[in-house]
Amino acid sequence: MWLVEARTVFSRARVRALLVVLVAVPVFLAFAVYLAGGPHNGQGPTFLDRASHNGVFTALAGLVVTMPFFIPLSIAVMAGDAVAGEASMGTLRYLLIRPAGRARLLAAKGAVLALFCMVAALVVVMAGLLAGVVLFPHGPVVTLSGTTIPFLDGVGRSLLASLVVGASMFGLGAMGLFVSTLTDVPIAAMAVTIGLVIVSGILDGVSQVAFLHPWLFTNYWTSFTDLVRDPMHWGLVWKDLLLQLGYVAVFGAAAWARMVTRDVQA
Amino acid sequence: MSGPSDLAVETHGLTKVFSGRPAVDGIELSVPVGSTYGFLGPNGSGKTTTIRMLLGLLSPTAGSWRLLGREMPGAAMSTLPEVGALVEGPAFYPWMTGRENLERFDSMGPGRPSRSRRARIDDALARVGLTAAAGKKYKAYSLGMRQRLGLASALLVPRRLLVLDEPTNGMDPQGTREIRNLVRELATGGTTVFLSSHLLSEVEQVCSHVGVMHRGKLLAQQSLSDLLASAAPRLRAEVDQPEEAAQVLSGLGLDDVLVAGRQVSGGLAGVPPELCCRALVEAGIGVRMLVPEQVSLEDAFVALTGEGFDVAG
Ligand SMILES: Nc1ncnc2c1ncn2[C@@H]1O[C@H](COP(=O)(O)OP(=O)(O)O)[C@@H](O)[C@H]1O
Ligand SMILES: [Mg+2]
């Protein structure tokens, strides 16, 4: 069932378009840096100044650039559509009388959403790596700590970073999935989910609510950069993953409670 | 009194209230196994709401129900595989072909071996006449083709019960005829068919049993022949002296005698038509035509509700 669900979702033109955008951003970034020479050391977003030093940094810069907006946007679109989209098309009623089972259907939706999170982060890094290797040097990588690691080590770390970024989106995905069970209008669910990202991002920047920061799902989103230190710093990454797990537990349970009781009118 | 196993659908006090207003109001359905049950009612009378509750999509405000003898909604996962349904029109994924859509629904639940999938889909598509369009994207389907695909989906496996909510909506006369034949064929094969419709003629032509819905209430539920027999038949005559004829007929005991131009009509109320004919002739009235009217389902419906059929609830 999960496999069939994945095939249905990924066969959709809209979903492929989202992935194309996620591929295009790092590639565009690489070309822009290649043509313009890139910002000088220490300017622009993290890693962007190093994007032209090494293909590995092109990939990481791609992550940094897509992390605050493009990746969460695509997750919000997918999550918001997950249940509300089926409701608005009317296919939800036919899945339920198949009977797919309400809880099982939700689980399949959640699993494919998690897969999409991973794929989204992975395509960004892969596209960045490819563009970076073609346009820029691909020798040993100078870490943020100043040490040098072999190129393949750097590639491994950027792939690891994409896994962390993908998992960092699980909390958002779970919230979006919950919102998606509340309505028959997918656009509304998407908008609310994007709104959650924006609100969390704003709160994260307000020092008066610093007590909230450790609980915001966006708070540790940039922790993946610690993986490019030598040795790797796992502290914030673990905190991030634990927090995401908490969000998945809470909002997954809420989505389940709503899904198994809701009246299907559409 | 029939045992629970004799009924494919059985409800007790089934009720759904939407914001204070009952859409379905304490209905007691009894659908015998093997029957073709016409669930008849004008738009807005509560047919779709009832069907949604039967299939576990809506939870009733009150009441209980059984499908195929099993208590619902508890037995949904074991019962619904034996129930094919079309609810409020078809719904599929527009970016997938007809065949891909059927593949998805077939594989999104228990009890459908993937080995036989291809053959089952081919068979279902052939039954509804969609073989040629199977490779087209759903978004390119006409309304009638969509309805057919919905039926194909309900026919992917043999079913004991088929619940069809207005299956001929949006179909041309040819398609309507085909659906009617398909329903007859399925019923002959032993499948119980629960068919909702706002079309009297549709129900009259294919159904063995009728339930009449009106403003959320089930007004009557009988075999079609009993229902027609229970509605009072009328006599209609065309005569040269309508006023006199009306007096004669009233004198014989006909009720509700009406005159319209040269036509006179009245409820027979048990008076044999032959007697009416003789009485009119003996009174010196020229009779051009005299017929005991065939009672239609529409007459029965009007008799039950006191309203025309087009009134929405
Ligand atoms: N989700 C809903 N919210 C409020 N009222 C509803 C809802 N669904 C149906 N109704 C009302 O319930 C009544 C019965 O509707 P329905 O079951 O669709 O009738 P039918 O299928 O016989 O045309 C209508 O008056 C309709 O307006
Ligand atoms: Mg309806």
Side-chain angles (χ1 to χ4, degrees), chain A residues 127-196:
Chain A
L129 272 176
L130 265 174
V133 165
V134 170
L135 295 177
F136 306 119
H138 40 94
V141 180
V142 182
T143 65
L144 292 181
S145 316
T147 60
T148 302
I149 56 171
F151 176 71
L152 278 183
D153 226 6
V155 171
R157 288 191 189 198
S158 55
L159 291 176
L160 191 62
S162 80
L163 294 184
V164 169
V165 168
S168 297
M169 294 296 147
F170 284 5
L172 175 63
M175 283 189 289
L177 190 59
F178 170 58
V179 174
S180 188
T181 61
L182 298 176
T183 171
D184 293 346
V185 187
I187 293 281
M190 295 174 198
V192 168
T193 310
I194 292 166
L196 291 172

Side-chain angles (χ1 to χ4, degrees), chain A residues 265, chain B residues 18 21 23 42-49 88 313:
Chain A
Q265 314 265 16
Chain B
F18 289 121
R21 208 166 148 268
N43 293 327
S45 57
K47 303 182 298 294
T48 300
T49 305
E88 195 145 70

Side-chain angles (χ1 to χ4, degrees), chain B residues 76-158:
Chain B
M77 287 305 281
S78 63
T79 306
L80 290 181
E82 297 184 271
V83 180
L86 198 60
V87 188
E88 195 145 70
F92 291 96
Y93 303 88
W95 67 91
M96 295 178 6
T97 67
R99 174 181 293 281
E100 285 166 350
N101 268 295
L102 294 186
E103 279 168 359
R104 169 162 167 89
F105 281 105
D106 201 59
S107 44
M108 285 298 278
R112 305 270 185 96
S114 56
R115 265 176 296 110
S116 58
R117 182 161 297 140
R118 205 187 161 76
R120 285 185 290 111
I121 289 176
D122 284 342
D123 183 52
L125 286 168
R127 286 185 92 162
V128 300
L130 266 187
T131 306
K136 265 204 208 173
K137 292 253 194 293
Y138 179 70
K139 62 176 170 240
Y141 277 23
S142 69
L143 192 53
M145 290 162 81
R146 293 176 177 201
Q147 196 75 266
R148 286 165 193 255
L149 191 65
L151 276 166
S153 189
L155 298 176
L156 282 171
V157 283

Side-chain angles (χ1 to χ4, degrees), chain A residues 95-257:
Chain A
L95 287 171
L96 294 185
I97 62 185
R98 164 60 182 83
R102 291 180 177 226
R104 276 194 251 177
L105 181 62
L106 186 71
K109 291 282 173 193
V112 172
L113 199 54
L115 176 67
F116 183 86
C117 291
M118 303 313 283
V119 169
L122 200 63
V123 295
V124 168
V125 164
M126 299 287 269
L129 272 176
L130 265 174
V133 165
V134 170
L135 295 177
F136 306 119
H138 40 94
V141 180
V142 182
T143 65
L144 292 181
S145 316
T147 60
T148 302
I149 56 171
F151 176 71
L152 278 183
D153 226 6
V155 171
R157 288 191 189 198
S158 55
L159 291 176
L160 191 62
S162 80
L163 294 184
V164 169
V165 168
S168 297
M169 294 296 147
F170 284 5
L172 175 63
M175 283 189 289
L177 190 59
F178 170 58
V179 174
S180 188
T181 61
L182 298 176
T183 171
D184 293 346
V185 187
I187 293 281
M190 295 174 198
V192 168
T193 310
I194 292 166
L196 291 172
V197 181
I198 295 172
V199 168
S200 181
I202 290 173
L203 288 179
D204 231 349
V206 178
S207 54
Q208 281 85 346
V209 291
F211 64 95
L212 268 182
H213 290 177
W215 302 103
L216 295 174
F217 65 96
T218 52
N219 192 49
Y220 303 111
W221 269 7
T222 51
S223 63
F224 74 92
T225 55
D226 286 354
L227 300 178
V228 205
R229 299 180 197 283
D230 199 26
M232 292 188 265
H233 291 194
W234 284 92
L236 291 183
V237 173
W238 287 131
K239 273 189 180 171
D240 180 25
L241 296 182
L242 205 62
L243 184 67
Q244 301 299 331
L245 203 64
Y247 271 83
V248 168
V250 170
F251 287 96
W256 173 82

Side-chain angles (χ1 to χ4, degrees), chain A residues 5 86 94 98 263-264, chain B residues 16 52 89 93 105-106 112:
Chain A
E5 177 62 22
E86 300 275 6
Y94 286 108
R98 164 60 182 83
D263 271 356
V264 177
Chain B
K16 183 70 184 183
R52 281 179 187 274
Y93 303 88
F105 281 105
D106 201 59
R112 305 270 185 96

